[in-house]
Amino acid sequence: MRIDIITVLPNLMESPLNTSILKRAQDKGLVEINLHNLRDYSLNNQKSIDDYAFGGGAGMVMQIQPIADCIEKLQAERKYDEIIYMTPDGETMKQGMVNTLSLKENIIILAGHYKGVDERIRELFITKEVSIGDFVLTGGELPAAILSDAIIRLIPGVISDETSALTDSFQDGLLAPPVYTRPEDYKGLKVPEILLGGNHSAIEKWREEKAIERTKERRPDLLED
Ligand code: ADE
């Protein structure tokens, strides 16, 4: 899979994308991530990429030309399955959306800034708009890193224990059950006996019950879905 990210702040994205599991995924050739600095596509000496909003109002608007030039250059090189715009007014990111995106070959992610992008960018190029939740951040960079992380960890071979991505919270519509490691007894707080016994079918049953219990308590809306 190849992910091209268009941003005015490539530095902000370097560290989360080039650390730990995401770094290893790139080193193993399982994913290729390319950061594109939008200012490289500015045609003026100041390297600006935004301008005042027509009609007035606070906040600058990202202009069409630099974004269009960057996207068109990429499209001339290969075909893209999705061109995603990170924005608080997009579709809320959910595991099912991430699962679908993890099956794509080439995607572009545009990180928005300021008051947003000129609406015509959305009309011309964007195939999917994604929000990471009902709150507003300073820019789309961290949301783009979050979406990339969620997608990449699903690519086969990225997580060493293949079953572990499938047993995540949300993959079966339930939250994950509680987990424990050594010591068996910490200041009198004991690990549930059943997990120590080695009866795998009983352990599976216990985990499923706990997952349902936890989902009922914390996220009853998931059970309604
Ligand atoms: N940019 C700013 N806030 C955002 C959000 N919640 N989701 C996606 N992109 C954003």
Side-chain angles (χ1 to χ4, degrees), residues 60-166:
M60 305 291 275
V61 176
M62 291 170 80
Q63 291 173 289
I64 301 180
Q65 171 269 315
I67 297 173
D69 286 1
C70 183
I71 292 176
E72 281 168 357
K73 176 177 172 280
L74 290 170
Q75 282 178 323
E77 291 162 1
R78 69 194 62 73
K79 193 176 153 11
Y80 284 90
D81 305 302
E82 293 281 5
I83 303 181
I84 301 167
Y85 174 45
M86 302 308 298
T87 172
D89 54 15
E91 179 186 346
T92 307
M93 188 178 152
K94 295 261 171 68
Q95 190 62 50
M97 174 203 286
V98 176
N99 293 351
T100 305
L101 289 173
S102 76
L103 302 172
K104 307 287 182 192
E105 199 69 43
N106 301 312
I107 61 175
I108 293 174
I109 306 179
L110 170 64
H113 249 258
Y114 314 104
K115 261 295 185 221
V117 297
D118 189 305
E119 187 65 20
R120 291 165 289 183
I121 281 293
R122 298 163 90 147
E123 287 165 19
L124 280 172
F125 298 106
I126 302 300
T127 60
K128 192 169 189 65
E129 307 198 352
V130 178
S131 164
I132 62 160
D134 290 344
F135 42 80
V136 180
L137 302 172
T138 53
E141 279 73 18
L142 297 177
I146 285 170
L147 180 61
S148 302
D149 182 301
I151 291 171
I152 293 165
R153 65 187 291 284
L154 296 179
I155 297 172
V158 169
I159 292 182
S160 46
D161 174 2
E162 290 107 53
T163 59
S164 110
L166 294 174

